[in-house]
Structures are given as structure tokens and as C-alpha cells.
Amino acid sequence: EFVIKAPINGFVVEKQVNNNMAIRPDNNNDLFTISDLKDVWVIANVYESNISQVHTGDSVEVTTLSYPGKTFYGKIDQVLNVLDPTNKVMKIRVILPNPGYLLKPEMFASVTVIHKENYESLCVPEHALIFDQSRYFVLVFKNPKDIKTIPVKVINAHAGKSYVEGNLDEGDKIITTNAVLIYNQLNN
């Protein structure tokens, strides 16, 4: 039996040795890999259509299946400027603080880049949008006999909200419940 002391505090995240395995001096493989896990990396895929909106230093929000409703905040540390030839995605590396060691190696996560635009736009709930004829529409309610179908262009979407451009005014009442059913009745 041998006692192996680690040069740092942390967690064993990779083990290359098993019981009854011979350890020889000519084998240069590491026996263990240790990490402190105080900060973790998230490697994320960026679709080709979103590459222009992702930059080193951008803030991100990360959610996991393990902790529904909990959001972790970090920054993009590195943008790998090569597309994966199989998936046609670009990789980014995000650094996240890991208080309480909640995040574990190899967890799946969803990453949202916080991209600040230099202009303002109106915001509607995502479920108020109606997609028909390759365009998006919203229903503007004036009164029960005056409901208008307004085409809009979706600029961005985040956290259940869609930012749109179109012939809408601030303060317009948008139909959000049963919008598709009402839209179909108006167009039949």
C-alpha cells in the first residue's frame, strides 16, 4: 500500500488507476486529476446564425436540469473561431463561479448570452406571437369589434419575451390568451 498526497486541495475528477494495477516507472500517464472546482468552465455551442452576436467578455446566464429555477452568471472567456465541421457550431468557453460546488463536471447546461443592443424595441410575451405564412403576427385589441392583426418582425427573444418591430405603439393591448384561435376566426 502506498499513500499518495495531492499537491493541492480539491476533488478527484479523473482516475487512471484501479485496484491491483501495476504502477511502473515507464508509464507517464497521470494517476489522478484533481480540480478545486471553485470556478468551472462551460463549453457551449454557438449556432452559425448567432456568431456575430457573441463576443469575449459578454455576460451569460446558465441554467441546468439539476437546479430548475436557479440561474448561474458568468462571462465568456474565450471564443474558438473555428466551426465544428460536423455540427456547424462554434465553441465558446464560459467561466462561472461555483459556490457550494453545485456545478459538476459533464453536466448539461443551457447558456444564454446577454447581448445588449444599442436601441429600444417593444416587447411582447412569446405566446402572443402567431406564426403564419412565414411571418409573425400579434393581435391588437381595441374593443370586441375592433381587433387588428399586425405583422411584426422578431428581433430577439429572451426569458419568454420577444422583442419586435412593427406597426405597434407602446400601450397597445395585445391578445395573449387563445391568440391562435382568435387569429384563425378573424381570417376565416
Side-chain angles (χ1 to χ4, degrees):
E1 288 187 19
F2 294 95
V3 175
I4 301 173
K5 292 190 176 186
I8 61 169
N9 289 333
F11 299 92
V12 174
V13 293
E14 187 176 22
K15 181 178 98 167
Q16 299 292 333
V17 66
N18 295 311
N19 288 338
N20 300 321
M21 183 175 162
I23 300 173
R24 302 185 326 246
D26 63 333
N27 184 355
N28 291 334
N29 293 334
D30 295 335
L31 299 177
F32 298 96
T33 302
I34 297 174
S35 176
D36 68 5
L37 297 180
K38 290 178 185 166
D39 291 317
V40 294
W41 289 354
V42 175
I43 306 299
N45 295 329
V46 177
Y47 294 108
E48 196 170 347
S49 60
N50 296 327
I51 288 175
S52 65
Q53 299 175 357
V54 175
H55 309 91
T56 302
D58 284 351
S59 296
V60 298
E61 295 177 349
V62 177
T63 57
T64 63
L65 293 173
S66 301
Y67 306 106
K70 182 158 180 59
T71 303
F72 301 90
Y73 299 94
K75 292 200 177 285
I76 296 175
D77 174 57
Q78 188 176 29
V79 175
L80 306 173
N81 290 308
V82 178
L83 288 181
D84 179 320
T86 305
N87 301 328
K88 297 295 185 197
V89 294
M90 181 180 72
K91 303 278 186 189
I92 60 171
R93 183 175 74 189
V94 174
I95 294 182
L96 289 177
N98 192 15
Y101 303 107
L102 296 176
L103 299 171
K104 316 290 188 233
E106 303 300 325
M107 286 178 103
F108 285 101
S110 295
V111 177
T112 303
V113 177
I114 308 302
H115 181 71
K116 297 191 191 260
E117 297 286 342
N118 292 330
Y119 60 90
E120 292 182 359
S121 67
L122 293 175
C123 176
V124 298
E126 276 184 351
H127 58 272
L129 292 173
I130 302 157
F131 188 74
D132 188 28
Q133 303 168 12
S134 300
R135 298 189 313 178
Y136 285 100
F137 298 92
V138 293
L139 299 177
V140 176
F141 179 86
K142 301 286 186 191
N143 62 56
K145 294 182 180 180
D146 187 9
I147 299 173
K148 297 202 182 317
T149 303
I150 307 291
V152 293
K153 177 183 174 192
V154 176
I155 301 167
N156 206 335
H158 177 65
K161 298 175 185 171
S162 293
Y163 300 91
V164 297
E165 288 179 344
N167 195 17
L168 290 175
D169 293 318
E170 189 173 339
D172 281 347
K173 292 181 183 177
I174 306 295
I175 295 177
T176 59
T177 305
N178 297 325
V180 174
L181 295 172
I182 296 169
Y183 175 83
N184 286 337
Q185 287 299 312
L186 290 172
N187 291 307
N188 285 337

